[in-house]
Amino acid sequence: MYKVMSADEAARLIKNGDNVGVSGFTHAGCPKVLPKAIARYAEEEHQAGRPFRIGLFTGASTSDRLDGVLARAKAISFRTPYQSTKDLRAAINNEEVHYVDMHLSQLAQEMRSGFYGDIDVAIVEAAEVTDNGEIVPTCGVGILPTICRMAKRIIVELNDKHPAAIRGMHDLAEPLDPPFREAIPIYHPSDRVGLPYIKVDPGKIAAIVKTSEPNDEGKFTPVDEVTKAIGDNVAAFLHKELVEGRIPKEFLPIQSGVGNVANAVLGALGDNSDIPDFNVYTEVIQDSVIALMNKGRVKFASGCSLTVSRSVMQDIYARLDEFRDRIVLRPSEYSNNPEVVRRLGIITINTALEADIFGNVNSTHVNGVRMMNGIGGSGDFTRNAYLSIFTTPSTAKNGSISAFVPMVSHLDHSEHSVKVIISEYGVADLRGKDPRQRAKCIIENCVHPDYRELLTEYVARTQSVHTPHDLRNAFAFHRAIIEEGDMRKARFI
């Protein structure tokens, strides 16, 4: 029924100036062969003296096979909401791509509201497509329901590396938009509200491109001394909260960010026998979650993607009858939904790029100006958490950069949302503390010894104010790294 095309043929269905939405969340569920074909087409058009650039909308980050190849082909004019690819990051910071960094849970609604114009093409990686327009995604969802409904044309990458038997692992829906929105009836992480497939008008499916491409392999670094200490500190803190009755004895669902620190934290929670078996309600389900599920420590996992290694993915597919009952994959509008996060009482654990001594967190910008990746879903969860935790190693670049500074150079999460900060040195519980008390707590418990005296001196410079900032020296650490290459050389004027 549908027209099967090569990737190069399908790429020519996309025109200069089109807004293109893609499936997936991280590299999981993202198209893999169409982006390369679009990049080749863009390069041909550029060589012929014709413009070719598109607006690109995704669930979150993708991979070099999407963001990277299109950035190198100079085929992207606009990008949102998140990225993590070297070449696209360079293009953004060189002002070659207009990049809008935003909370992931908000994008689908803003697209439906017309904030970004039409969606011309949706590119979807699928495990199955039926003649009546049912599309079963692979291992990542993102903004898939919205782009499929809004798009004028849909191109499906039908990838046989993902079995059609994955049908049933997804919970796919779109909420009604204001002023008609109703409550989202998710009362437990395992509750479902939608369908196991996306239903589209079959007439909109313009092409099927058959592929056999595996997911990218994860590249998280192994747990080291620092990340293990952070994980152990998180586990010990949550156990203490449990014992003292500030966390219910049944425990609460966990959300954890992406990366090696997050994997270390989840591993430590699983290894701590004093913490009960728990549920996960998050956006990215990583190898560590599956390992804990295999041990019986994670009871159920709800997320937006299975961002796991190839070997773990093969194991999941070999045991689909088991995992379909223990994992659900949702759109980011549901996995990151503030209403659901608040209702379930989620304990959120995310990574800070930089924090100041008053509890403000920078997740996105190096020295306040250069975009790293983006805020992702950390704000969706942090602002609505039962208990919000940020983790970070105390230093970077062999100690020349302190993660803790007098004032963050860019603000993503304010002190009002950040309840706990944890480094390899300890835990700063900021609840119920005023700014001067927060500063003392962070300096004594989280800051590297090389920087404690400097930060204590900074606080002491200002008296008789609510927040003891010395605005002449608030960025002394950042001046030092720019001018001297080492924050330890910071000097106050």
Side-chain angles (χ1 to χ4, degrees):
M1 175 180 177
Y2 303 118
K3 187 171 184 180
V4 176
M5 295 186 184
S6 69
D8 287 316
E9 290 172 325
R12 280 159 172 73
L13 298 175
I14 298 170
K15 308 302 180 187
N16 176 54
D18 276 355
N19 279 336
V20 178
V22 302
S23 64
F25 197 97
T26 70
H27 63 77
C30 286
K32 298 173 177 62
V33 298
L34 254 298
K36 294 178 183 177
I38 296 167
R40 289 191 292 269
Y41 181 37
E43 289 167 347
E44 290 174 13
E45 291 293 280
H46 296 160
Q47 290 170 3
R50 294 185 291 268
F52 187 96
R53 299 177 80 200
I54 61 173
L56 186 59
F57 299 78
T58 66
S61 61
T62 64
S63 71
D64 189 73
R65 289 198 277 185
L66 198 161
D67 276 336
V69 297
L70 291 177
R72 289 190 290 275
K74 301 189 182 304
I76 305 174
S77 59
F78 172 87
R79 180 74 171 85
T80 197
Y82 185 83
Q83 58 76 42
S84 62
T85 305
K86 177 183 176 182
D87 290 312
L88 179 55
R89 182 184 303 120
I92 290 165
N93 286 315
N94 291 335
E95 300 183 82
E96 296 169 11
V97 173
H98 299 292
Y99 178 59
V100 176
D101 179 31
M102 63 182 295
H103 301 294
L104 302 186
S105 69
Q106 295 177 334
L107 179 57
Q109 176 179 305
E110 293 192 3
M111 293 172 70
R112 292 194 299 269
S113 299
F115 290 8
Y116 308 103
D118 295 338
I119 299 299
D120 299 290
V121 181
I123 304 175
V124 180
E125 183 182 74
E128 181 185 24
V129 183
T130 66
D131 288 347
N132 66 341
E134 293 178 4
I135 299 175
V136 177
T138 60
C139 55
V141 182
I143 52 174
L144 184 55
T146 294
I147 61 170
C148 282
R149 188 175 55 77
M150 290 183 64
K152 301 168 186 173
R153 301 180 299 283
I154 299 172
I155 302 172
V156 176
E157 278 197 13
L158 189 58
N159 192 333
D160 65 13
K161 288 292 184 184
H162 302 274
I166 196 176
R167 178 189 280 253
M169 187 174 281
H170 304 88
D171 181 36
L172 303 168
E174 283 185 284
L176 296 173
D177 286 321
F180 305 107
R181 178 162 294 167
E182 299 173 348
I184 295 174
I186 296 175
Y187 307 110
H188 307 90
S190 58
D191 288 344
R192 294 171 182 254
V193 298
L195 298 171
Y197 53 83
I198 303 288
K199 183 69 172 70
V200 303
D201 175 0
K204 291 207 305 184
I205 299 178
I208 301 283
V209 177
K210 294 185 176 181
T211 70
S212 187
E213 291 286 328
N215 283 349
D216 293 343
E217 190 66 83
K219 296 180 179 179
F220 299 135
T221 56
V223 173
D224 58 20
E225 184 178 342
V226 171
T227 54
K228 184 180 185 306
I230 293 172
D232 289 344
N233 287 340
V234 172
F237 170 73
L238 291 179
H239 174 240
K240 180 172 179 286
E241 291 295 292
L242 189 66
V243 168
E244 296 183 359
R246 288 185 289 270
I247 294 176
K249 61 181 176 56
E250 298 85 358
F251 211 58
L252 291 168
I254 295 289
Q255 176 267 333
S256 182
V258 183
N260 59 319
V261 175
N263 271 325
V265 167
L266 286 169
L269 292 178
D271 289 340
N272 191 318
S273 59
D274 293 321
I275 291 176
D277 299 342
F278 56 92
N279 291 314
V280 169
Y281 195 93
T282 191
E283 48 187 8
V284 177
I285 299 171
Q286 301 183 93
D287 281 11
S288 54
V289 174
I290 304 303
L292 293 178
M293 192 171 281
N294 286 331
K295 292 178 181 178
R297 295 290 280 130
V298 167
K299 297 182 289 185
F300 192 90
S302 168
C304 196
S305 71
L306 273 170
T307 306
V308 297
S309 61
R310 290 175 183 171
S311 60
V312 170
M313 184 62 74
Q314 289 170 357
D315 181 51
I316 291 170
Y317 285 163
R319 299 159 56 199
L320 266 175
D321 287 344
E322 174 187 348
F323 281 108
R324 264 197 308 267
D325 295 330
R326 303 183 69 189
I327 295 172
V328 63
L329 301 179
R330 313 180 193 271
S332 50
E333 201 166 12
Y334 289 81
S335 68
N336 294 36
N337 190 276
E339 174 195 348
V340 178
V341 172
R342 181 68 65 89
R343 178 187 298 125
L344 297 182
I346 294 175
I347 298 169
T348 68
I349 308 167
N350 291 284
T351 303
L353 178 65
E354 173 184 80
D356 68 27
I357 53 176
F358 305 106
N360 301 292
V361 168
N362 170 14
S363 295
T364 58
H365 285 75
V366 177
N367 281 337
V369 294
R370 295 191 65 80
M371 172 58 68
M372 177 59 73
N373 297 328
I375 194 168
S378 59
D380 295 325
F381 287 97
T382 294
R383 292 175 300 165
N384 302 285
Y386 179 90
L387 180 61
S388 60
I389 300 171
F390 275 89
T391 60
T392 181
S394 63
T395 61
K397 302 294 184 184
N398 297 317
S400 64
I401 295 176
S402 173
F404 299 96
V405 296
M407 180 184 284
V408 287
S409 56
H410 177 90
L411 178 64
D412 290 300
H413 311 281
S414 82
E415 61 190 273
H416 306 294
S417 301
V418 179
K419 304 304 181 186
V420 180
I421 298 179
I422 298 177
S423 77
E424 73 272 28
Y425 286 98
V427 177
D429 184 350
L430 307 180
R431 292 171 294 179
K433 292 181 173 64
D434 70 19
R436 199 175 289 275
Q437 291 172 322
R438 288 199 297 269
K440 184 175 187 293
C441 185
I442 290 171
I443 292 169
E444 290 180 351
N445 292 287
C446 294
V447 171
H448 190 282
D450 287 353
Y451 290 95
R452 289 176 189 167
E453 185 176 344
L454 274 170
L455 289 169
T456 299
E457 178 187 349
Y458 175 82
V459 174
R461 296 174 69 85
T462 302
Q463 302 296 328
S464 301
V465 292
H466 183 250
T467 301
H469 264 311
D470 176 1
L471 294 181
R472 296 170 301 171
N473 291 293
F475 295 113
F477 279 34
H478 299 93
R479 283 202 315 271
I481 192 64
I482 292 168
E483 297 171 1
E484 304 286 344
D486 195 326
M487 285 186 176
R488 288 169 291 200
K489 296 181 179 180
R491 296 295 179 264
F492 302 127
I493 56 175

